[in-house]
Amino acid sequence: MSRFRRTFFSVVFSVACTSLAAAAQAAEPIKIGLITALSGQSALAGEAISRGLQVAIDEINAAGGLLNGRPVELVRRDDEASPAKGVVAARELIHKEKVAVIFGGLDTPVSLAIVPLVNQAKVPFMGPWAAGTPITKNGAQPNYVFRVSAVDEIVDAAMVDYAEKTFGATKYGLIMVNNPWGESNQKGLVAALAAKGMKPVGSEKFDGNEVDVVPQLSRLKTAGADVLMMVGNVGPSAQVVKSLDRMGWKVPVVSHWGPAGGRFTELAGPNAKDVHFVQTYSFFGEQSPVGRKVIDALKAKYSNVKGPEDITPAVGVANAYDAMHLTALAIQNAGSTDGDAIRQGFYKIDNYDGLIKQYKKPFAADSHDAITAQDYVWAQFIDDRILPVGLVK
């Protein structure tokens, strides 16, 4: 074989290998990790987050994927509401699955345990549920943690305003789950009341596995509380309601969104309907074109979804759906799956017409929370349906 022919075939072979490698990389999935409660009392909320992510991913893939045709793939892990299990899952997703972004789940303690790990590994973390203020305001520079969800310090101010306007409250009693989420909200509620020149008449804690909260509630009643500000996930919040029933104490309850995360009406009983709690979205009422599109997609993909009443909790679906589309924009802005490039890609997002709202410059170096005080709605459980208070008949 002549030298020319050897050179020619060598060049052809090299070009072919490069093309094959590029094609293989183009087809390689971009993995998105999810760590959330997929079992236990809050499994319904974990499934809602999964569904919101998957509907968004289906839309992204149908439009051609990301980064020149790479499909997006969801990799899920059950943290069982355990911070230790959440950390194990995060390590596996980062080092074994090589995910581009991790989505956190429900529980503030789990997210807070994962935050140092993702900041060290330089893997972006997106929160679609857990509301603890320190999750995004974690002091890291640079900070890889973003959120499309409620934020405790904003929710706390909204809770105080809502109790005042809706129930004429003047004497606020705080009843908080005894964990970092409860601590975050206790600080936020005290600050929100102080801004109005007030103090709580009492502040009580309860453990997540307590079955009787009567002693704590009795102290708040004796202190003269005319409204209860409650923070707890499904099971603990249900125990507060049942303890109020045993006492025969009819007092307004204004809650963070914990009760929306699972079988609250089943566990709390008939008076579950008296709890007013915050939400970021409802599929009831007039829907935007994006809302109608998401409802249709959920009905087509999941046989148990016949209408808005079956999309529950709505915030899990809505937050995750918008968060996934915003994450896709960040990846496109990055031009790669490099963690630091994606982090900076979030800052480059201009506008996105989402489900919850129209996002305009949702993230900045000093602001990693896309949801503001203007984006909350208030809801109740009516016949196992989460309805906005204004739609309650």
Side-chain angles (χ1 to χ4, degrees):
M1 183 183 292
S2 70
R3 182 176 178 183
F4 172 79
R5 291 181 67 189
R6 286 198 302 271
T7 302
F8 173 77
F9 285 120
S10 177
V11 170
V12 170
F13 180 75
S14 176
V15 169
C17 288
T18 301
S19 299
L20 287 171
Q25 185 178 15
E28 183 183 349
I30 297 173
K31 292 184 178 181
I32 301 295
L34 170 61
I35 303 170
T36 190
L38 296 171
S39 58
Q41 294 175 338
S42 296
L44 187 64
E47 182 59 28
I49 293 171
S50 297
R51 290 183 174 191
L53 285 174
Q54 193 59 61
V55 166
I57 288 170
D58 288 348
E59 291 178 356
I60 293 163
N61 288 339
L66 300 175
L67 304 180
N68 298 317
R70 293 176 64 182
V72 178
E73 177 185 324
L74 182 62
V75 183
R76 306 193 310 168
R77 293 292 182 271
D78 185 1
D79 62 31
E80 301 178 39
S82 164
K85 291 182 178 180
V87 168
V88 170
R91 289 193 176 116
E92 181 183 355
L93 290 175
I94 292 168
H95 299 296
K96 182 180 177 182
E97 296 292 343
K98 308 294 185 183
V99 298
V101 177
I102 292 179
F103 275 68
L106 300 167
D107 299 278
T108 289
V110 178
S111 291
L112 288 174
I114 294 172
V115 161
L117 185 63
V118 295
N119 276 327
Q120 182 181 27
K122 299 182 179 181
V123 173
F125 180 95
M126 172 59 77
W129 188 290
T133 301
I135 292 171
T136 48
K137 296 186 177 181
N138 55 59
Q141 293 292 338
N143 181 10
Y144 285 79
V145 182
F146 298 83
R147 178 163 47 191
V148 178
S149 182
V151 183
D152 283 344
E153 63 183 11
I154 303 176
V155 171
D156 295 331
M159 288 172 67
V160 169
D161 287 343
Y162 185 81
E164 184 178 46
K165 293 173 183 176
T166 306
F167 301 113
T170 59
K171 297 180 178 180
Y172 293 75
L174 312 187
I175 183 78
M176 310 276 119
V177 66
N178 188 19
N179 68 17
W181 187 39
E183 292 171 11
S184 172
N185 283 282
Q186 200 272 343
K187 292 177 182 176
L189 285 166
V190 169
L193 288 168
K196 293 177 174 287
M198 295 187 287
K199 295 181 179 180
V201 297
S203 182
E204 297 287 339
K205 297 180 180 180
F206 59 98
D207 291 328
N209 58 359
E210 283 192 51
V211 295
D212 184 9
V213 197
V214 169
Q216 296 96 315
L217 293 172
S218 296
R219 289 192 288 271
L220 293 175
K221 183 178 182 181
T222 300
D226 60 11
V227 67
L228 293 181
M229 313 298 278
M230 181 173 73
V231 175
N233 279 333
V234 178
S237 295
Q239 295 304 332
V240 171
V241 172
K242 290 198 286 188
S243 293
L244 286 171
D245 292 345
R246 287 194 290 273
M247 294 171 62
W249 186 18
K250 294 290 185 182
V251 62
V253 180
V254 176
S255 174
H256 208 309
W257 64 5
R263 300 180 291 121
F264 182 65
T265 53
E266 174 190 337
L267 297 171
N271 288 332
K273 68 182 186 303
D274 297 330
V275 177
H276 290 216
F277 52 93
V278 73
Q279 298 281 269
T280 53
Y281 194 77
S282 173
F283 286 98
F284 288 96
E286 186 65 29
Q287 296 290 306
S288 68
V290 179
R292 293 193 293 272
K293 177 179 68 173
V294 171
I295 291 173
D296 289 344
L298 290 164
K299 288 164 67 175
K301 190 172 185 67
Y302 301 103
S303 60
N304 66 335
V305 177
K306 308 300 182 186
E309 65 277 6
D310 303 314
I311 308 172
T312 184
V315 296
V317 173
N319 294 354
Y321 176 87
D322 278 359
M324 184 62 238
H325 275 293
L326 290 168
T327 298
L329 290 173
I331 292 171
Q332 286 290 86
N333 289 340
S336 75
T337 56
D338 174 75
D340 195 59
I342 295 172
R343 178 184 67 83
Q344 296 181 58
F346 279 110
Y347 306 144
K348 297 174 184 176
I349 297 171
D350 190 15
N351 296 309
Y352 166 61
D353 191 5
L355 178 59
I356 296 172
K357 66 174 184 178
Q358 226 180 12
Y359 297 85
K360 296 181 179 181
K361 299 283 187 184
F363 302 109
D366 60 349
S367 178
H368 282 208
D369 283 290
I371 300 297
T372 69
Q374 289 70 45
D375 303 319
Y376 298 149
V377 296
W378 290 90
Q380 292 172 266
F381 272 106
I382 303 297
D383 298 327
D384 292 332
R385 299 180 299 165
I386 297 175
L387 293 178
V389 170
L391 293 182
V392 174
K393 303 297 184 182

